[in-house]
Amino acid sequence: MLAAQIRGGAAILALTGLPPTSAIVLIDGLLIGLSTMRLSWLSAGFAICMLVCNATLVGSLIETGGTNVWLHAPALFDDALRQLAPSHTGFTVISVVVTVVCGADYQQFVIAARTPTTARIGCVLAAGIVFAIGFLPASTVIATSQAWHLDHVGDPAQIIPVVLIHTLSSYTISATRNLVIAMLVTTALGAGCAILRAMCDATATFGPRTASRPVWSRVLPVLFGSVVASRGQSLVEMMVDLNVVYITAVGPLLGFTLLNVHVSDRTGIAAITAGCGITKACYLIRWTGIAAIPEATALLFALPLSLAVALASRLRANASSGESN
């Protein structure tokens, strides 16, 4: 998820003429610096920019007469799903749903709620808003693609910024491009910082408590995220692949937690290491093109293996405890 935000932010900055490497470095520096801000400030800035972007996209649909595309988007989406392989659709749905429900970068907002009622209302409100605007970007691209010649845009990640620039240029002066770029970069940074905060807390648990821990626990995830972002993969495929890495790492531990089964830190680390190792190996194989393997291979092999490692580690720990007694 962090890599997707870095990839999107860098693609937006590239519209200014900034080289791709420099754009990634600049996004990385902003992420590390802004991630120290309060979560409420980040979420407020993110929400404001998202509101402006979505309002502009609605304006794009109105300008091109494409509001019917948005209204019929759920039906069109259902028809498009029928044309895809069921295995691919199921794999994508599972990876996204599990990550949204169980991902720490999402759950931190629920945990930050002042009361359980506030958390429930926030979840329901967020679900409604996401359903309402989830089809908006794709609908806008479909409605404006021919009129505004979007097929000439080199990087697919730049299509929405181009649409926003084109729409706002009808109402504002030459500063439109910089306004849109600043707004979209702020949106990417807001989402990226929220993700980085969760990753920072998780990364910090693997090292000793030192004065430099807050620094490297932020730099390390950003560094790995930048490497993945430099691949140039599509944002959707990148998010799905990285979701699988997360699921295979925490899946067994989540299962133990739901069953009220206590596991030691050593067992947890062993399970995470096994799951991540297999998943990352599959990811690198697909990245380098060494061999053609199905996208669900990592999920099918890494989850059972990490669970087996966790069980073996737990049984070994119990046996050692029994011998000592």
Side-chain angles (χ1 to χ4, degrees):
M1 295 294 290
L2 181 62
Q5 302 303 327
I6 295 174
R7 164 90 169 87
I12 295 167
L13 282 181
L15 289 172
T16 65
L18 201 65
T21 302
S22 301
I24 290 179
V25 171
L26 181 56
I27 291 292
D28 289 349
L30 291 172
L31 278 173
I32 294 173
L34 294 176
S35 63
T36 60
M37 296 175 58
R38 293 176 57 183
L39 183 62
S40 58
W41 296 355
L42 293 174
S43 58
F46 173 75
I48 292 172
C49 290
M50 282 293 293
L51 178 62
V52 175
C53 290
N54 284 305
T56 307
L57 290 177
V58 173
S60 303
L61 287 175
I62 295 174
E63 183 178 342
T64 57
T67 51
N68 286 334
V69 177
W70 187 21
L71 295 176
H72 294 89
L76 295 174
F77 180 70
D78 182 65
D79 292 338
L81 286 181
R82 298 177 188 276
Q83 301 176 15
L84 299 175
S87 58
H88 175 72
T89 302
F91 174 76
T92 303
V93 170
I94 290 173
S95 66
V96 172
V97 170
V98 172
T99 304
V100 170
V101 173
C102 306
D105 49 337
Y106 297 96
Q107 293 299 328
Q108 64 179 322
F109 295 99
V110 180
I111 295 172
R114 295 182 179 179
T115 64
T117 302
T118 303
R120 285 192 291 268
I121 294 174
C123 289
V124 173
L125 183 61
I129 294 174
V130 168
F131 182 80
I133 68 174
F135 297 103
L136 181 56
S139 300
T140 306
V141 172
I142 294 173
T144 61
S145 58
Q146 293 185 352
W148 294 349
H149 307 290
L150 298 181
D151 53 327
H152 297 303
V153 179
D155 189 345
Q158 296 176 339
I159 290 180
I160 292 297
V162 169
V163 169
L164 293 174
I165 292 172
H166 197 290
T167 303
L168 290 178
S169 63
S170 303
Y171 308 99
T172 60
I173 54 178
S174 58
T176 299
R177 176 180 290 267
N178 293 333
L179 173 64
V180 171
I181 290 173
M183 185 171 57
L184 290 178
V185 168
T186 302
T187 304
L189 289 174
C193 287
I195 297 170
L196 181 56
R197 285 170 59 91
M199 297 180 70
C200 174
D201 292 340
T203 305
T205 61
F206 286 92
R209 293 182 176 274
T210 61
S212 62
R213 187 176 71 169
V215 177
W216 66 259
S217 63
R218 283 181 168 81
V219 172
L220 205 58
V222 169
L223 179 61
F224 284 118
S226 299
V227 172
V228 175
S230 64
R231 179 184 177 185
Q233 188 181 18
S234 74
L235 294 179
V236 175
E237 291 180 356
M238 180 186 300
M239 293 173 69
V240 171
D241 286 342
L242 297 180
N243 285 349
V244 173
V245 176
Y246 176 80
I247 293 171
T248 54
V250 305
L253 302 184
L254 178 61
F256 284 133
T257 301
L258 294 177
L259 295 173
N260 292 322
V261 177
H262 175 73
V263 294
S264 64
D265 292 343
R266 183 176 181 179
T267 299
I269 293 174
I272 291 175
T273 303
C276 280
I278 295 296
T279 309
K280 289 180 179 178
C282 293
Y283 182 78
L284 290 174
I285 290 174
R286 295 183 63 195
W287 183 347
T288 56
I290 296 176
I293 58 176
E295 57 186 356
T297 301
L299 199 60
L300 295 176
F301 283 93
L303 260 182
L305 177 62
S306 59
L307 180 60
V309 170
L311 290 173
S313 178
R314 187 168 185 271
L315 292 174
R316 187 164 51 249
N318 291 340
S320 300
S321 177
E323 292 176 358
S324 62
N325 292 334

